[in-house]
Amino acid sequence: MLFERAKKILPGGVNSPVRAFSPYPFFVKHALGSKIFDVDGKAYIDYCNAYGAMLFGHAYPKIMEAVKTQLSNGTLYGAPTEQEVAFAELIKQASPCMEMMRLVNTGTEATMHAIRAARGYTGRKKIIKFEGCFHGSHDNVLVKAGSGAATFGTPNSIGIPEETTKNTIVLPYNNIAAIETVLEQEGNEIAAIIVEPILANVGLILPKTNYLATLRKLTNKYGVVLIFDEIITGFRLALGGAQEYFNIKPDMATLGKILGGGFPVAAFGGKAEIMQTISPVGGVYQAGTFSGNPISAIAGYTTINILKQKKNEIYPQLEKNTYELSKALSDLSKNYKLPTQIYNIASLYQIFFTNQPVTNYADAKFSNIKMFNAYFHELLKQGVFIPPSQFEACFISTSHSSEDISCTIEAFDKALAAASKEV
């Protein structure tokens, strides 16, 4: 069995913990459009979409063609290219706060360097993050994080010294009073507040009315750098991400996933005065051999250019399909008298198996995991693939057809019936 081979060479048989599920994950052979195919030939309608990266679905022709053209000219130079400049210019046009930026390879790199830049700019050490917000797997933010690290503890991972996270303050999301208290006491020591505008690594949790706007006011008051971690929300909520959707301009932002059109690239950036602290013009060091590589740059440029040209078609259709799936989940849950909370925004949705509204990480932890697992495995049996954890979100792509949506709703019926047996 392929999984047995994998376990002998890869910890847990996987290269990222969120890919693991019991009894073992399926292994992918290929993917096209809305479908992903395993090594045994079974097809799945894909709502994981590489955890949100594949907005156009798999092997999107225009992106593939652009990459093939670049391949004949080389894959990596270690020197600047016009393409990476054009790519950055396109990002700046789309993302309100990105006056200057650096291209990197992963979301983890982006958030790590954004925090470093904020500390360098302010001369302060402490940062604030929120329970359930996942900002990658570097030491400063693996503190009560969501997704694959969704467990309590300071820090969340062995191998991270406690002194490394002593300058990371963790607060509950959607709780303004907690932020006000900390800023009143320690505002002159806080370099940055980093936040996912919506939480999509602990299920799907939406900000309360005026929550993000109040964050903006408070950070301005205390001279704290506000960082929007838009690795997931960037280009998914709107062309300008959460900044456009909620009409709030942070000091800095991090982008990834959709940004690369299926290829590894991320970015961090913001106010020019902050980004001018980055080497070689400033004293904040950042570097990367594969940063801005021509393959990822052309894939990303093509992706953002398509979104720019067709945003008035793409985003309304994505929202329509998401609403249809969410409504079906809600209606079917009532039919089976299941305790559920269903949330959706733009092209994301998720179901929680609980009677109580979910507004923060603590609420999410009350979800019935046994019911979710029954729901997940029945969906898989029916040929529908969603992220295998309650603490993730599901993603719609432009490749999902009306037939896909109808088949998925039929699968929801069977999956919720399976979940009802766990009550």
Side-chain angles (χ1 to χ4, degrees):
M1 181 188 290
L2 190 51
F3 183 59
E4 294 301 321
R5 284 176 55 197
K7 285 195 299 182
K8 292 177 181 178
I9 195 71
L10 306 172
V14 293
N15 276 307
S16 182
V18 295
R19 300 173 193 172
F21 59 85
S22 179
Y24 51 82
F26 64 84
F27 284 71
V28 178
K29 179 76 171 181
H30 66 102
L32 182 65
S34 64
K35 307 292 196 308
I36 196 165
F37 301 83
D38 69 21
V39 292
D40 297 316
K42 183 173 180 177
Y44 304 86
I45 303 172
D46 186 11
Y47 293 99
C48 180
N49 277 298
Y51 292 90
M54 313 304 291
L55 188 67
F56 298 138
H58 299 282
Y60 191 70
K62 288 185 178 179
I63 298 173
M64 296 298 99
E65 289 166 10
V67 169
K68 287 176 183 176
T69 298
Q70 177 56 46
L71 283 171
S72 63
N73 293 320
T75 61
L76 189 65
Y77 308 134
T81 66
E82 181 179 357
Q83 188 63 62
E84 65 191 291
V85 177
F87 182 28
E89 289 172 339
L90 203 57
I91 297 170
K92 180 178 179 178
Q93 291 171 22
S95 188
C97 82
M98 301 286 267
E99 295 174 8
M100 295 186 75
M101 72 198 70
R102 268 281 167 85
L103 299 176
V104 290
N105 300 290
T106 68
T108 290
E109 285 183 66
T111 57
M112 178 175 67
H113 293 306
I115 290 169
R116 186 182 299 167
R119 282 172 163 158
Y121 173 71
T122 61
R124 303 172 181 177
K125 294 181 180 180
K126 295 182 180 180
I127 64 168
I128 293 173
K129 74 173 294 289
F130 301 95
E131 286 182 316
C133 285
F134 180 71
H135 304 296
S137 54
H138 54 97
D139 290 4
N140 287 298
V141 293
L142 274 180
V143 186
K144 294 183 181 177
S147 188
T151 54
F152 284 103
T154 307
N156 273 114
S157 170
I158 62 172
I160 300 176
E162 290 186 4
E163 54 267 29
T164 301
T165 57
K166 68 180 181 181
N167 288 314
T168 302
I169 299 168
V170 183
L171 298 176
Y173 182 76
N174 270 330
N175 186 328
I176 287 298
I179 303 167
E180 289 176 329
T181 297
V182 171
L183 289 177
E184 286 172 5
Q185 295 173 350
E186 305 182 64
N188 62 350
E189 299 178 50
I190 308 297
I193 290 179
I194 185 167
V195 62
E196 286 185 278
I198 63 171
L199 275 61
N201 282 279
V202 64
L204 180 64
I205 300 177
L206 307 181
K208 292 181 179 178
T209 303
N210 294 324
Y211 176 72
L212 296 174
T214 304
L215 274 185
R216 176 67 286 183
K217 290 177 183 177
L218 288 171
T219 49
N220 281 337
K221 178 180 178 180
Y222 289 95
V224 174
V225 175
L226 178 60
I227 305 171
F228 270 15
D229 181 353
E230 295 227 51
I231 302 299
I232 287 178
T233 57
F235 309 105
R236 185 163 283 281
L237 297 192
L239 180 63
Q243 300 170 55
E244 176 184 331
Y245 192 94
F246 295 108
N247 192 29
I248 296 171
K249 187 177 179 180
D251 300 301
M252 299 187 75
T254 59
L255 301 168
K257 292 190 183 290
I258 288 169
L259 181 65
F263 288 81
V265 67
F268 71 99
K271 288 182 177 179
E273 60 192 279
I274 299 175
M275 294 305 293
Q276 290 284 3
T277 65
I278 304 293
S279 57
V281 291
V284 176
Y285 192 74
Q286 183 275 325
T289 298
F290 286 88
S291 296
N293 73 82
I295 301 299
S296 293
I298 190 63
Y301 178 88
T302 304
T303 299
I304 308 310
N305 203 37
I306 294 168
L307 287 173
K308 180 182 177 182
Q309 293 172 6
K310 297 186 176 182
K311 63 179 182 179
N312 293 331
E313 304 168 31
I314 289 172
Y315 291 106
Q317 186 60 46
L318 287 168
E319 188 169 9
K320 177 179 177 294
N321 285 344
T322 305
Y323 174 78
E324 188 173 348
L325 289 176
S326 298
K327 187 176 186 305
L329 279 172
S330 179
D331 292 344
L332 289 166
S333 293
K334 291 174 184 175
N335 289 347
Y336 287 105
K337 296 181 172 56
L338 285 169
T340 61
Q341 305 293 320
I342 293 99
Y343 297 100
N344 66 277
I345 185 171
S347 56
L348 303 93
Y349 74 91
Q350 183 58 300
I351 182 172
F352 292 94
F353 291 91
T354 174
N355 279 316
Q356 302 301 317
V358 179
T359 62
N360 55 40
Y361 175 79
D363 294 338
K365 293 291 284 183
F366 281 103
S367 297
N368 188 316
I369 302 303
K370 288 184 178 180
M371 293 177 73
F372 180 87
N373 287 338
Y375 164 80
F376 165 76
H377 281 288
E378 184 61 30
L379 283 179
L380 207 62
K381 182 180 175 182
Q382 297 299 322
V384 173
F385 177 47
I386 64 170
S389 169
Q390 171 69 88
F391 304 112
E392 295 289 348
C394 300
F395 301 93
I396 310 294
S397 76
T398 62
S399 65
H400 285 112
S401 66
S402 57
E403 182 181 355
D404 290 329
I405 301 299
S406 296
C407 290
T408 302
I409 291 172
E410 290 180 14
F412 281 166
D413 193 358
K414 294 180 175 64
L416 290 173
S420 68
K421 296 175 183 177
E422 297 293 332
V423 174

